[in-house]
Amino acid sequence: MGSVLALSSGPGHQNWPFSTDPPPSRWDAHPAHWDSPPRWERRDGRLPNPGSFHSLHRSCKDVFPQQIEGVKMIINKTLSSFFKVSHTLHLSAVSPSYYRFHVEHLQSDDYSKDKDAPALIGEMDSSGSLNAHALLHLSERVRARTVFQTQQSQFVTWQFETEYRGNDFTAAVTVANPDVLRESVILVAHFLQSVSSGLVLGGELVYHRGRAEEGGILTLAGQYSRPNWVATLNAGKGGAHASYYHRANKQIQVGVEFEASTRTQETTTSFGYQMELPEANMVFRGMINSRCIIGGVLEKRLTPLPATLIMGAFVNHRGDKLQVGLGVNVG
């Protein structure tokens, strides 16, 4: 993710339509291989590895539609088996328009190529802001990740993460924005343990220190999964985040989220669903939440062209606002 603050157990949908935050980019999520089950996961009846802490709510989140507004065009190009680039142009009447250039250099070992694991990722937009990732598999069980972000000419994030995946547990430590002169630092520790074949328990500890303040937040997490559904709960001093994912059949998936924040004293309940129509090469995602926001995004694969048409609309009935978006993803 873009910053270590996003690694903490905050609300799952911080960039709902009509918020003041900029729309999220694909940069703000871990690459798919980072959260996928490791190749050493046991198939002999023993407890499996629980995966990454970041992916606890992923099954439910993937059901919800992503915000789309204005006109967006994405062009992806694979230059070689190790090198990929993409160009994104977004025109909007609500938020600033931008151009973004994204580049990935893939690792050369067989396992990384099978997982499509980028070793180096760079992204720069038209304002001069830069994001840089370095993902390294130090061994079969140890992964390291470094993130640097700039906002125009100023550094805003520099963080270092190390993750170890045992046979039935995952432990990770992140150090973010260490500054010796200002005597400030943010530390995040994650731990997940498989208790049974379907039950995972763990927690997250966020510690921050600065000249003016010092404190920590402990969040406990649990997940219970069956072949067709997954229930997850995070609860701590900062609030609670619960989600439920259910796969009804091959075409329909649904998800429910409940989020409560002690800082803002707000709660939100959201319902989302995904419907796949393979015969029509279409995927539709819709949502409705307790803030009276209804939205939907339709993705249509334009065969035989290597392009996907994306159309979306979000209505805020309480604020009497409407956002409509159209996008094309080529490549």
Side-chain angles (χ1 to χ4, degrees):
M1 295 186 182
S3 67
V4 72
L5 299 179
L7 303 181
S8 60
S9 301
H13 296 287
Q14 299 177 1
N15 290 289
W16 278 123
F18 324 121
S19 67
T20 57
D21 300 327
S25 68
R26 4 177 232 172
W27 182 267
D28 297 322
H30 276 284
H33 81 281
W34 188 267
D35 296 323
S36 60
R39 57 176 174 172
W40 59 84
E41 181 174 331
R42 302 189 178 190
R43 306 296 183 182
D44 53 4
R46 299 184 182 182
L47 296 181
N49 180 275
S52 172
F53 192 92
H54 311 296
S55 62
L56 284 177
H57 296 275
R58 169 161 289 189
S59 297
C60 182
K61 289 181 182 295
D62 288 345
V63 173
F64 286 81
Q66 295 295 321
Q67 177 183 356
I68 180 172
E69 185 276 326
V71 179
K72 178 181 290 187
M73 173 172 286
I74 302 175
I75 301 177
N76 304 294
K77 179 65 176 179
T78 300
L79 302 180
S80 69
S81 59
F82 309 108
F83 199 64
K84 298 180 180 180
V85 299
S86 68
H87 306 268
T88 302
L89 178 63
H90 183 210
L91 302 178
S92 172
V94 178
S95 59
S97 302
Y98 63 85
Y99 163 78
R100 180 182 296 131
F101 176 71
H102 181 95
V103 60
E104 297 181 6
H105 182 271
L106 307 183
Q107 294 179 353
S108 59
D109 57 279
D110 294 335
Y111 170 63
S112 297
K113 285 194 296 183
D114 293 341
K115 294 294 183 180
D116 198 26
L120 298 174
I121 306 176
E123 190 173 270
M124 176 174 285
D125 60 24
S126 53
S127 68
S129 299
L130 172 68
N131 295 289
H133 276 209
L135 302 175
L136 299 176
H137 290 264
L138 302 179
S139 68
E140 187 181 35
R141 297 179 182 269
V142 181
R143 307 178 183 190
R145 178 171 177 259
T146 303
V147 178
F148 291 95
Q149 285 186 320
T150 66
Q151 188 67 35
Q152 295 181 354
S153 61
Q154 296 182 349
F155 273 96
V156 294
T157 300
W158 52 99
Q159 71 181 51
F160 311 92
E161 178 181 352
T162 302
E163 182 184 79
Y164 179 84
R165 295 196 177 189
N167 293 329
D168 58 1
F169 72 92
T170 299
V173 176
T174 301
V175 180
N177 293 10
D179 194 327
V180 178
L181 299 179
R182 298 182 180 179
E183 300 179 355
S184 63
V185 68
I186 300 175
L187 300 176
V188 181
H190 293 150
F191 183 80
L192 288 179
Q193 173 70 56
S194 293
V195 180
S196 67
S197 59
L199 180 61
V200 174
L201 298 177
E204 173 192 67
L205 177 61
V206 180
Y207 169 80
H208 61 93
R209 178 179 180 179
R211 290 181 177 178
E213 59 180 358
E214 180 180 7
I217 298 177
L218 175 64
T219 302
L220 301 180
Q223 183 182 80
Y224 189 77
S225 59
R226 303 305 298 168
N228 294 329
W229 59 271
V230 179
T232 308
L233 173 64
N234 292 15
K237 182 179 179 181
H241 182 194
S243 68
Y244 175 78
Y245 163 83
H246 188 94
R247 187 176 188 94
N249 51 49
K250 294 182 179 180
Q251 286 77 37
I252 300 177
Q253 306 173 53
V254 297
V256 180
E257 276 194 321
F258 171 79
E259 300 167 275
S261 173
T262 57
R263 182 178 61 87
T264 61
Q265 299 295 313
E266 294 182 352
T267 61
T268 304
T269 302
S270 306
F271 171 78
Y273 63 95
Q274 174 179 310
M275 179 181 298
E276 300 181 21
L277 302 174
E279 297 82 1
N281 296 317
M282 290 194 306
V283 176
F284 180 81
R285 294 180 177 91
M287 58 79 57
I288 182 173
N289 67 13
S290 57
R291 297 180 181 179
C292 299
I293 296 177
I294 302 176
V297 174
L298 175 65
E299 299 181 11
K300 166 67 174 178
R301 187 71 179 178
L302 304 177
T303 55
L305 300 176
T308 301
L309 177 65
I310 305 172
M311 297 178 291
F314 292 85
V315 181
N316 187 337
H317 289 279
R318 183 177 299 175
D320 194 21
K321 296 180 180 179
L322 170 67
Q323 285 188 0
V324 179
L326 175 66
V328 177
N329 194 328
V330 181

